[in-house]
RNA sequence: GAUCCGGUAGCUCAGUCGGUAGAGCAUUUGACUUUUAAUCAAAGGGUCCCGGGUUCGAGCCCCGGCCGGAUCACCA
């Protein structure tokens, strides 16, 4: 592959460094006793602190002015300016370290270790007066150079999504705000996990490779196990396994994990995504709504510092209680039509009236879902529980205790998007078998996403599952809300991309 | 999968009517001991995404493809 001019220069510099007897990739570590952010926040000239510091990072800018230079060092916490004076670095006759190594052979992007002391420059910027530096890793590729002026205005921003996502490492280096998004994502999971642990619920792991892709309605990825010579599916959900654990006697289990769905990709969908599923015995969906309110309020506070979060043009209040509307109430509120008594034909006519396309494979549940998706969802900006779904849409939820034809289910909508789904779980094995059979009928009618029947799961229910409430939260979408990002790609380190065109390479 | 928009130097982008390929940053050389989008002087750097076509001549027009984004469809 042909190297660019800058890559050639860097490789030549590398060679010269080696000729000077310097290892460009030394094996030993470097003492890091402080980070950039700590110095910037805590240095006070009067206190004379940070006078023997040792840190490491990447050179992000260099301003050489003859016998002295400024550089910008970036570590995980931020950027700090270095001041390098020739005669301080090279007290003796030999000025090679400064004149040759620092001025000529180091490049932007090189990783160096630095020892020195904090001070303030004439213009008042906290900086490090370098007494010693060492090359820790030579960079052979030029980074995009993003400049910022005093007001923080960005020039030549590195924004091309294709490059940013394919080379996320570069994105993380030159766009510090990107790192903050992922720190928040990590904090979100950590915060939620701590909340569950405090309640004594057990974090578990269940199979990703499943012989039957149950627990949700979606097209799976299919693979094959050679030794067993059987097809296996990457899980589209883990619900049925977690319930088996409730049958087994755990009273609260949860799992953060990747799910895989062989569907389209867009701003809110990636083929693999992270969900959190939790099942708690002896609870129902009413209890679960309270738990969700408490959990999200706390998570929001711990991740963003506030229960109120800016998302696009909206301010979302995560402190409960959240508005509750039944599915029928919600549809009536936003269309003026009461569909609660309608049969499949009447619903089909209603769809027509509302200019919603239908097809013959759609059952009653699907038709209601269409109306809801088309006319209601977009209006649910503040956190809203939509409750009591038609039974046809929800084969794993328990029938409503008082409303015929409905199940005890809620979904939480925020900013017009579903972020959580929960049931009073169906634990009646006879009813569950019938529901699966209904799904089979839908499948025969052409519904590709109807749920598969899982005999072993039914066997587990037949042993008896305590009354249980279960909840699933889309972690990526929650992360999008809490970091004010409008694309799922921005909250995944490595979003799925088509493979790059393979470049011709010499063997 | 459909429609629209985009792909030009390492990066961000201009490129007029189809007529020698442009800028800023980065890079190279030189100057400079408190600069900070450092500055000053000079220089080098291009498979214009790929493949066809039209034309005397294509970065530009036409056809096909690849990759990305947006919107829609499907889905969470």
């Amino acid at each position: 592959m042909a190297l660019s001019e800058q890559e050639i220069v860097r490789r030549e510099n590398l060679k010269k460094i080696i000729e000077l007897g310097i290892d460009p990739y030394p094996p030993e570590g470097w003492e890091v006793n402080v980070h950039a952010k700590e110095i910037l926040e805590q240095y006070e000239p009067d206190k004379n602190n940070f006078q023997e510091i040792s840190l490491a990072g990447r050179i992000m800018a260099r301003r050489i002015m003859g016998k002295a230079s400024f550089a910008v060092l970036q570590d995980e916490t931020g950027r700090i300016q270095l001041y390098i004076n020739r005669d301080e670095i090279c007290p003796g006759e030999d000025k090679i370290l400064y004149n040759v190594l620092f001025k000529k052979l180091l490049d932007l992007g090189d990783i160096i270790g630095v020892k020195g002391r904090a001070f303030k420059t004439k213009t008042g910027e906290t900086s490090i007066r370098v007494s010693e530096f060492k090359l820790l890793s030579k960079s052979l590729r030029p980074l995009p150079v993003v400049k910022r002026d005093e007001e923080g205005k960005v020039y030549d921003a590195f924004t091309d999504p294709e490059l940013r996502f394919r080379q996320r490492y570069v994105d993380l280096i030159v766009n510090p705000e990107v790192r903050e998004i992922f720190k928040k994502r990590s904090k979100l999971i950590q915060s939620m996990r701590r909340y569950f642990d405090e309640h004594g619920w057990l974090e578990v792991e269940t199979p990703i490779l499943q012989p039957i892709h149950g627990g949700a309605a979606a097209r799976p990825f299919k693979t094959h196990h050679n030794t067993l010579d059987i097809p296996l599916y990457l899980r589209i959900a883990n619900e049925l396994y977690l319930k088996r654990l409730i049958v087994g006697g755990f009273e609260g289990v949860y799992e953060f994990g990747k799910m895989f769905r062989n569907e389209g990709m867009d701003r809110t969908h990636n083929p693999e995504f992270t969900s959190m599923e939790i099942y708690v015995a002896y609870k129902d969906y009413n209890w679960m709504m309270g738990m969700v309110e408490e959990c999200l309020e706390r998570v929001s506070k711990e991740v963003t510092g506030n229960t109120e979060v800016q998302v696009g043009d909206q301010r979302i209040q995560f402190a409960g209680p959240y508005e509750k509307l039944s599915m029928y109430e919600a549809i009536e509120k936003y269309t003026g039509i009461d569909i609660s008594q309608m049969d499949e034909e009447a619903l089909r006519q209603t769809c027509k009236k509302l200019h919603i396309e239908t097809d013959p494979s759609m059952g009653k549940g699907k038709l209601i879902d269409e109306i809801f998706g088309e006319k209601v969802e977009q209006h649910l900006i503040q956190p809203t529980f939509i409750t009591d779904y038609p039974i046809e849409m929800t084969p794993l939820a328990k029938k409503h205790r008082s409303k015929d034809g409905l199940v005890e289910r809620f979904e939480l909508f925020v900013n017009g998007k579903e972020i959580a789904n929960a049931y009073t779980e169906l634990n009646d094995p006879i009813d569950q078998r019938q529901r699966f059979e209904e799904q089979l009928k839908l499948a025969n009618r052409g519904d590709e996403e109807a749920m598969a029947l899982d005999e072993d799961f039914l066997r587990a229910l037949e042993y008896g599952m305590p009354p249980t409430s279960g909840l699933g939260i889309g972690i990526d979408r929650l992360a999008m809300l809490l970091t004010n990002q409008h694309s799922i790609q921005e909250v995944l380190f490595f979003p799925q991309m088509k493979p790059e065109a393979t470049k011709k390479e010499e063997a």
Side-chain angles (χ1 to χ4, degrees):
Chain A
M1 208 175 67
L3 295 177
S4 71
E5 180 196 21
Q6 294 191 49
E7 288 172 301
I8 292 166
V9 167
R10 281 168 185 245
R11 278 169 156 79
E12 281 169 0
N13 287 347
L14 177 78
K15 215 192 263 172
K16 288 175 193 161
I17 287 167
I18 293 169
E19 282 165 11
L20 282 176
I22 296 167
D23 184 350
Y25 303 101
E28 65 276 6
W30 179 264
E31 182 195 3
V32 175
N33 63 21
V34 69
H35 282 91
K37 192 176 171 192
E38 200 184 328
I39 302 169
L40 293 174
E41 285 175 353
Q42 295 172 25
Y43 172 65
E44 287 178 42
D46 297 344
K47 284 190 183 166
N48 215 29
N49 51 356
F50 296 114
Q51 295 304 292
E52 278 187 39
I53 54 180
S54 182
L55 69 168
R58 205 182 276 278
I59 303 173
M60 297 305 287
R62 233 174 2 153
R63 295 179 285 276
I64 296 171
M65 299 171 309
K67 299 183 185 66
S69 299
F70 289 90
V72 173
L73 188 79
Q74 170 171 289
D75 67 15
E76 189 183 322
T77 66
R79 297 178 178 188
I80 190 162
Q81 178 169 264
L82 307 178
Y83 174 73
I84 296 165
N85 183 302
R86 186 191 70 181
D87 296 329
E88 289 173 31
I89 295 291
C90 310
E93 285 300 301
D94 181 4
K95 307 294 185 191
I96 279 180
L97 207 58
Y98 180 79
N99 284 342
V100 180
L101 182 63
F102 180 79
K103 275 172 72 176
K104 301 283 181 193
L105 302 182
L106 291 192
D107 292 294
L108 296 185
D110 286 357
I111 295 168
I112 62 172
V114 162
K115 288 187 199 297
R117 57 190 169 86
F119 78 111
K120 274 198 197 288
T121 62
K122 211 161 63 177
T123 52
E125 177 163 347
T126 298
S127 307
I128 297 172
R129 194 165 195 125
V130 176
S131 58
E132 185 186 338
F133 75 92
K134 179 184 176 184
L135 176 62
L136 300 180
S137 184
K138 181 74 193 151
S139 167
L140 296 182
R141 277 181 191 260
L143 288 167
V145 178
V146 179
K147 299 219 170 192
R148 287 172 175 76
D149 67 16
E150 279 175 6
E151 289 128 39
K153 200 175 163 206
V154 176
Y155 299 82
D156 298 332
F158 179 62
T159 54
D160 179 349
E162 180 160 10
L163 286 177
R164 285 186 52 229
F165 301 147
R166 284 195 199 283
Q167 302 186 38
R168 179 67 92 177
Y169 34 89
V170 174
D171 189 31
L172 289 165
I173 292 167
V174 305
N175 293 327
E177 64 283 2
V178 171
R179 224 176 317 181
E180 292 308 310
I181 291 170
F182 288 98
K183 281 193 199 166
K184 279 186 178 173
R185 182 186 168 114
S186 175
K187 220 169 188 175
L188 149 63
I189 292 171
Q190 190 186 17
S191 168
M192 206 175 265
R193 175 177 285 134
R194 191 162 45 219
Y195 176 84
F196 296 151
D197 287 347
E198 281 170 14
H199 288 76
W201 301 321
L202 185 72
E203 181 165 20
V204 299
E205 293 174 282
T206 64
I208 289 172
L209 291 172
Q210 301 179 350
I212 298 168
H213 52 280
R219 282 155 61 198
F221 289 92
K222 190 176 181 179
T223 184
H224 182 263
H225 190 275
N226 289 340
T227 305
L228 296 176
D229 193 25
I230 53 168
L232 286 173
Y233 301 90
L234 271 63
R235 67 180 175 195
I236 57 173
N238 53 358
E239 171 159 359
L240 303 187
Y241 283 95
L242 291 169
K243 285 182 185 170
R244 284 171 170 97
L245 296 179
I246 296 292
V247 170
F250 293 110
E251 293 182 11
V253 291
Y254 70 93
E255 179 174 16
F256 287 92
K258 283 280 179 78
M259 304 299 151
F260 306 85
R261 297 190 184 176
N262 208 339
E263 313 272 359
M265 295 160 58
D266 62 24
R267 216 176 50 238
T268 54
H269 298 85
N270 195 65
E272 58 182 282
F273 64 99
T274 301
S275 86
M276 191 297 304
E277 295 257 333
I278 180 163
Y279 292 79
V280 182
Y282 311 113
K283 306 292 184 191
D284 65 8
Y285 79 144
N286 291 314
W287 172 86
M288 188 63 88
M289 284 187 250
M291 192 274 259
V292 168
E293 286 168 349
E294 190 179 87
C295 179
L296 289 187
E297 174 171 351
R298 177 164 149 179
V299 166
S300 164
K301 212 171 196 168
E302 290 187 358
V303 171
T304 69
N306 204 329
T307 62
E308 199 178 38
V309 177
Q310 187 76 34
V311 180
D313 301 332
Q314 309 286 347
R315 287 197 69 79
I316 308 280
Q317 178 55 263
F318 278 104
Y322 305 157
E323 188 182 0
K324 283 181 193 137
L325 284 174
S326 77
M327 175 66 101
Y328 291 157
E329 286 168 353
I331 289 175
E332 189 167 357
K333 178 169 175 183
Y334 291 101
T335 66
I337 300 170
D338 176 8
I339 63 162
S340 63
Q341 305 304 316
M342 289 184 183
D343 61 11
E344 186 172 322
E345 192 43 42
L347 284 167
R348 207 172 288 279
Q349 290 307 316
T350 304
C351 282
K352 212 169 176 182
K353 205 168 107 188
L354 295 170
H355 309 289
I356 296 166
E357 281 184 33
T358 62
D359 72 65
S361 78
M362 289 178 178
K364 194 174 157 183
K366 193 88 180 163
L367 290 168
I368 293 171
D369 196 35
E370 288 292 317
I371 298 171
F372 180 81
E374 204 65 38
K375 298 293 171 190
V376 181
E377 233 179 77
Q378 56 192 317
H379 301 293
L380 307 176
I381 301 301
Q382 294 303 320
T384 305
F385 290 120
I386 299 296
T387 66
D388 302 344
Y389 284 61
I391 191 164
E392 295 85 351
M393 299 161 70
T394 317
L396 301 172
K398 188 175 270 189
K399 281 177 183 156
H400 198 281
R401 61 195 74 183
S402 60
K403 297 177 190 165
D404 211 29
L406 301 181
V407 291
E408 296 200 353
R409 170 186 187 180
F410 72 80
E411 291 187 310
L412 177 65
F413 287 84
V414 182
N415 203 34
K417 290 263 170 359
E418 181 207 331
I419 66 158
N421 181 24
Y423 312 146
T424 300
E425 300 294 340
L426 176 54
N427 61 345
D428 174 344
I430 310 279
D431 189 4
Q432 182 67 80
R433 183 173 291 277
Q434 283 170 359
R435 302 278 197 92
F436 275 137
E437 278 161 4
E438 289 299 318
Q439 289 292 304
L440 282 178
K441 280 184 205 162
L442 284 178
N444 292 336
R445 230 168 116 174
D447 188 344
E448 280 184 46
E449 287 156 359
M451 213 173 283
L453 189 146
D454 186 333
E455 277 294 346
D456 176 70
F457 173 65
L458 287 169
R459 179 166 63 191
L461 287 192
E462 285 167 9
Y463 282 102
M465 183 172 87
T468 297
S469 185
L471 165 79
I473 294 182
I475 294 297
D476 310 290
R477 290 186 174 181
L478 186 55
M480 285 165 66
L481 287 172
L482 295 182
T483 59
N484 193 15
Q485 294 300 315
H486 82 294
S487 162
I488 196 170
Q489 297 175 110
E490 296 290 354
V491 301
L492 301 172
F493 273 128
F494 304 104
Q496 194 57 242
M497 307 279 273
K498 282 199 190 182
E500 283 179 90
T502 47
K503 287 175 187 164
K504 284 173 266 173
E505 295 219 28
E506 293 290 317

